[in-house]
Amino acid sequence: MRVFHTVEEVVQWRTQELKDTRSRESIGFVPTMGCLHSGHASLISKSVSENTYTVVSIFVNPSQFAPTEDLDNYPRTLPDDIKMLESLNVDVLFAPNAHVMYPQGIPLNVEKQRGPFVSVLGLSEKLEGETRPNFFRGVATVVTKLFNIVMADVAYFGQKDIQQFIVLQCMVDELFVNTKLQMMPIVRNSSGLALSSRNKYLCPKSLKIAENLYRGLKAAEIAIKGLASGARLSRSEIIDIVTQIWAPYVDSHDFKIDYISLADFKTLDELSLVENTREQQPLVISCAVYVTDRENPNTIVRLIDNIVI
Ligand code: AMP
């Protein structure tokens, strides 16, 4: 595997490897923030199986972190990540530093930022955007930069960050970007907990409790899928199903709910009811929950999860 830290190295590799523009060679790309786990590996394996070359990037992108968030503490495990990428037969790792990606510097305070930024208005303000107002501006900006450097045919993203996928799909469509996006299913542990780099912050007991995130969403899915023909459930009935399962953990202060959303899969508009009819469009039930670590109560980890129905 080649490991590159500069844009020039990636561009040079690309022009050398893909000299014959008439051939069917393709580049698959998986952008990550590192601390790789089996969720990332599923995206990477898919890319390796579908493309001539696979490029993975590891970059903890400052512009998607608010000044109050965990940029400095975000887990960084580059030597282990490199081992995993080599075992998965990745061709290129691009691991730039912040100066390469943001030549004018990247203060976390948005008012002090300089240079080009990409906003996807309308979708970015919803759900995650309500709590993290500049998050998708940071994501769309870094992904645009990475797409322009790697010039991949296809890029793989996880359903775990479903709003990210929907925002980026809109960006690619409407900025006429020449890289196709593919969404891959959420990889979970055997108890249903979605794998996440941030799970590392939690002790085993709190990780066990965090498994209830999925249990709650799953109960709502079962209720929706079990609707008789023509029957309906209101938004509040569905949200009650989830909160009832989470109630013991809210009461014990293990969980603090940030949001539970029941939304149209394409527009992310909130739904007031769900019906079992042919007209019912695909929907996504998603959540963000603050989980307080039992061993170290100063550690509060914001976890997200979702199910597409
Ligand atoms: P991150 O390193 O957290 O930015 O994630 C990089 C990519 O991996 C994103 O497209 C995520 O959606 C995806 N990803 C993270 N966790 C999982 C998971 N448990 N299952 C599938 N994809 C995931």
Side-chain angles (χ1 to χ4, degrees), residues 251-265:
D251 292 346
S252 61
H253 303 291
D254 289 294
F255 278 12
K256 188 167 154 267
I257 301 170
D258 185 8
Y259 68 81
I260 303 172
S261 157
L262 181 71
D264 180 275
F265 174 68

Side-chain angles (χ1 to χ4, degrees), residues 31-33 37 39-40 43 74 157-158 160-161 164 185-187 195:
T32 81
M33 297 210 299
H37 50 67
H40 299 108
L43 275 55
Y74 194 84
F157 292 87
K160 163 90 186 333
D161 300 277
Q164 168 172 285
I186 302 177
V187 177
L195 301 190

